[in-house]
Amino acid sequence: MRDPLSVFTDAFTSFLFGKVETTRLPVRTSTGQAQAVYLPTAAPGLGDSGVIIGREVYSGKGYIYDPFQLYGQQLPAPHWLVLGESGNGKSALEKTYVLRQLRFRDRQVVVLDAQGEDGVGEWNLVAQELGITPIRLDPMTALDGGIRLNPLDPAITTTGQLALLRTIIEVAMGHGLDERSGFALKVAHAYVNETIVDRQPVLTDIVDQLRHPEAESAEAMNVDIDDVRAWGLDVALVLDRLVDGDLRGMFDGPTTVGIDLDAPLIVFDLSHIDRNSIAMPILMAIVGVWLEHTWIRPDRKKRIFLVEEAWHIINSPFVAQLFQRLLKFGRRLGLSFVAVVHHLSDVVDGAAAREAAAILKMASTRTIYAQKADEARATGRVLGLPRWAVEIIPTLTPGIAVWDVNGNVQVVKHLVTETERPLVFTDRAMTESSGPALPEDVQAAEWEAEQRAALIERRQLDESSESTVA
């Protein structure tokens, strides 16, 4: 029974405000029925500052992402991994992301373009639009005025030069250098740097010194000169490939004058290099270290280093170690590393599984486009994706991907503007005779994507109905 004071208070309140409280009996129901009452809500976005990617599929909200804005609060590291099979929109995402980042004045981007089309790299159209000439590394033109990068460039520290030389040799040999070969290389490198002062030292100097070591080098370690020569023979043969083999000219000579490292976009066109040869990881190692010492500077610029076919880096223990150091070093100087890989199994099951795991751990942002079911499950296990995300990856249509930004997992549809479309369209050889898509085709594709999104949403709600409303 209610006390008189409560009754008086309720009557006075009703007289003033016209409110009459009623008592409702509790309703018992299942979560399946309660879905109509408790409407689903979309996960929170990443903020409204940065580059717009597209829209979140379930809510339709704009999806904005920028590692430099999120770093330190929502992101422990600014590095990004992009996964997915060909034809699902990875290239379009990368190119529009770079174009939109370059709208900010303090952004600078380097791209290692390993894909090719019509005799040029697939970033050629983007570079042309921005008035940029790609740096085309081609062994066929290197001896005839082509681009050269010198691993012994004075801009690279002495320690960096020796580490780069070791990596080149180890990648080519497929195993690490033993102590004796490493000693022969170290002695030759030190002698070349000490004696050549009137020009840039080049690889030919190292090869010559390995073949004809100085007596002082042997005496310092109390060994025979013939032993030092024998220890350096394999090293000399490997480096000779860069001097007089299939990669001749690109790295044996002073660095080409006029490479503009202050341009907003720098594209290294590697499309003329056989992607399946040992030359590609060697090339990426040289370019990566050269950029580390010549491009990255403490000038408050935000830099993006985007690597196509990044499995050439992550799948080689020696190259991965170089880039691992670059990633750790780059975080202090505003560097975001973007690695584009077709299949995660290309790296986690390779020879550099430990190094690959370390690099993947640094990538706090992961974008996964459509994959086959088995590959999606393997990817989910490695990246720790929720079950619902793993299940929908095989059903994703081109342009739609699962985004995992440090545990914030959402399904995002990438949007390309009409201005960007001609620049990011990379399959002209397959479609150039078919002409532009008709509006009906576009509408049909949009309708199919929306239907799939609705199906995914219903599947999530079905999973939630397994629990009981508290």
Side-chain angles (χ1 to χ4, degrees), residues 365-384:
T365 301
R366 287 82 68 90
T367 300
I368 304 96
Y369 282 90
Q371 297 178 331
K372 294 182 175 62
D374 291 344
E375 183 76 20
R377 285 192 290 269
T379 299
R381 285 194 299 270
V382 173
L383 301 183

Side-chain angles (χ1 to χ4, degrees), residues 314-365:
I314 306 177
N315 204 35
S316 168
F318 314 108
V319 182
Q321 289 169 8
L322 281 179
F323 273 80
Q324 197 174 338
R325 187 189 73 245
L326 173 62
L327 268 59
K328 290 180 180 178
F329 173 75
R331 284 196 300 181
R332 302 198 307 270
L333 296 175
L335 175 69
S336 173
F337 177 67
V338 184
V340 184
V341 181
H342 287 277
H343 305 287
L344 200 57
S345 58
D346 290 341
V347 293
V348 297
D349 298 331
R354 183 167 57 88
E355 291 81 3
I359 291 180
L360 292 177
K361 188 177 180 180
M362 293 183 191
S364 299
T365 301

